[in-house]
Amino acid sequence: VINKLPDLGDNAGIISAVQKVVDQILKIYPAAADWSISFKRPTESGVYLAAGASTSQNYNTAVGVGYLTIAPQSKDVKLEFNSPLPKNCTLTYEEAQKFDFSGKATQNGQTVSANIKTKYVGVTADGKWVSSKGNEPKDALREPGNYVEKIYTVGGNYVAAPIVRCYTVKKAETEIRFDSIDLEVPYDGQPHGITAGVYHGDERIAEADIIYMSSSGYKSAEEPTDVGMYQVMASYKGDSKYACVDAKYTTFDILARPITIKTMDMAIEYGDDVPDVDYYIYDMNGELADPAIVSGADFPSLDFSIEGQDEGKHLAASTTPYAINVSGLDNANFQVTYEGGSLTVNPRKINI
């Protein structure tokens, strides 16, 4: 304990007297060994043990012990929040990130140095109870939800009644934007659709939910394959941070694919059986179609016939070719152009 005393020079009598006081205190309260000792008058509020000693060559050493209490100031001291809330006590998400929470103590309009504490408690937008305490910006509750902020003093030279306020942080606003994409595509047997993003400002924070609907009764989140005009609904239900937004609509068309079916010219002699008709399917670019896109299997009722042919009878030889007709071209996914060939029946050569 003596090592905690300030340097008093050669005045050993005072040191000895103070040591006696300290020894008596330690007998009663051993934890006092951790106290600090000062010969300066205290200025901070608190309770102090004061010991006095005097020495004189003519008198015995005199020692006195007592308590000194310095009360904190409370008259005209009040707490104030750093920043006032909007009229409806509601902050947007962006406002909450920059808002100056916590508070200060004032006395007669002047800011004073008080030991201020701030505590937050509330419920987040997704229903979780949360709490926090501290005077730093990071300690404030700034996520969407409903909260209570309380500031109060603990110890220090100034005390004031605590103050409380409630505030709400709204979810961040969002917007749905359809991605730039061709809204008309030709049928190719593959599913097609469009996408949309959910944006907060210029930041894409999520993908929108897409639903396709058509007058034929199609309604699904799966991209459609068949020809039709589809109404597309993009929606976003929101989360704990971002607000839901009204659905957005557009239309998307899968168009019938233009194709051409061609039959080849044929020639036989009178009396011969008519051979099977050969045909080819050409795609919209004029080239032979990829079977993965279109083939005869897409026209299960496809059938060819020869103009004027009666069952069980041979076609008469003629200088005018017989047209090759077609049926069974019905398929809503294709816009079919038929270019039919012809059958020439030549006279049969015989020897007499």
Side-chain angles (χ1 to χ4, degrees):
V1 174
I2 284 297
N3 293 331
K4 297 183 179 182
L5 293 175
D7 185 9
L8 297 177
D10 296 330
N11 202 337
I14 293 180
I15 295 176
S16 177
V18 172
Q19 180 66 62
K20 290 179 181 180
V21 173
V22 171
D23 289 342
Q24 291 300 316
I25 294 173
L26 290 177
K27 290 179 181 180
I28 302 172
Y29 189 67
D34 294 328
W35 291 357
S36 60
I37 300 174
S38 174
F39 281 82
K40 296 180 180 181
R41 292 183 178 181
T43 58
E44 301 295 319
S45 64
V47 178
Y48 300 87
L49 176 66
S54 64
T55 60
S56 171
Q57 60 183 2
N58 297 320
Y59 299 96
N60 292 329
T61 299
V63 176
V65 178
Y67 285 98
L68 171 65
T69 300
I70 300 179
Q73 294 192 39
S74 59
K75 184 178 180 180
D76 298 324
V77 179
K78 64 179 182 178
L79 298 179
E80 298 177 2
F81 291 108
N82 287 336
S83 298
L85 288 168
K87 187 175 181 180
N88 58 0
C89 297
T90 299
L91 299 168
T92 66
Y93 179 79
E94 293 77 8
E95 290 171 341
Q97 306 316 300
K98 302 176 182 178
F99 193 78
D100 186 12
F101 289 99
S102 193
K104 59 187 177 183
T106 63
Q107 185 179 44
N108 297 320
Q110 300 296 317
T111 301
V112 294
S113 178
N115 188 19
I116 293 177
K117 302 294 183 182
T118 308
K119 185 173 183 179
Y120 305 88
V121 65
V123 182
T124 63
D126 55 353
K128 296 180 181 178
W129 282 96
V130 291
S131 63
S132 176
K133 58 183 178 180
N135 298 330
E136 298 298 322
K138 65 180 179 60
D139 299 319
L141 298 177
R142 302 175 186 271
E143 294 300 307
N146 297 291
Y147 306 106
V148 176
E149 178 189 17
K150 176 182 179 181
I151 61 174
Y152 55 98
T153 57
V154 177
N157 295 326
Y158 298 88
V159 293
I163 57 175
V164 178
R165 65 180 174 181
C166 301
Y167 67 96
T168 297
V169 179
K170 293 170 55 178
K171 291 184 178 182
E173 298 295 328
T174 57
E175 176 189 7
I176 293 176
R177 303 176 195 168
F178 285 105
D179 295 323
S180 296
I181 195 170
D182 193 348
L183 296 179
E184 292 184 350
V185 296
Y187 171 85
D188 61 4
Q190 301 298 317
H192 289 278
I194 59 180
T195 56
V198 182
Y199 288 83
H200 172 61
D202 292 329
E203 179 187 4
R204 187 172 183 136
I205 55 103
E207 299 300 309
D209 297 321
I210 302 294
I211 295 291
Y212 300 90
M213 298 167 284
S214 74
S215 58
S216 64
Y218 186 91
K219 184 177 182 180
S220 174
E222 299 295 327
E223 295 180 343
T225 300
D226 292 331
V227 165
M229 183 180 74
Y230 298 88
Q231 185 179 48
V232 184
M233 180 182 72
S235 62
Y236 175 65
K237 63 182 180 181
D239 61 15
S240 61
K241 179 177 179 180
Y242 296 101
C244 64
V245 63
D246 291 339
K248 199 168 185 179
Y249 297 85
T250 189
T251 56
F252 176 71
D253 291 323
I254 298 179
L255 305 177
R257 191 179 191 88
I259 62 170
T260 301
I261 295 180
K262 295 182 179 180
T263 54
M264 300 296 100
D265 292 338
M266 300 184 296
I268 60 173
E269 289 187 345
Y270 174 76
D272 291 341
D273 293 330
V274 176
D276 293 334
V277 175
D278 290 329
Y279 68 93
Y280 298 91
I281 302 177
Y282 293 86
D283 206 347
M284 54 193 296
N285 60 3
E287 298 180 358
L288 284 173
D290 182 349
I293 297 177
V294 57
S295 68
D298 292 299
F299 303 94
S301 299
L302 184 65
D303 186 52
F304 297 98
S305 61
I306 307 302
E307 179 186 14
Q309 184 179 26
D310 294 327
E311 185 176 356
K313 295 183 179 180
H314 294 296
L315 290 170
S318 173
T319 57
T320 301
Y322 294 92
I324 301 176
N325 297 325
V326 66
S327 61
L329 295 180
D330 299 329
N331 188 322
N333 291 323
F334 299 98
Q335 180 183 331
V336 182
T337 298
Y338 176 64
E339 295 182 3
S342 62
L343 172 66
T344 299
V345 180
N346 295 313
R348 192 172 192 86
K349 296 179 181 180
I350 61 172
N351 292 322
I352 298 178

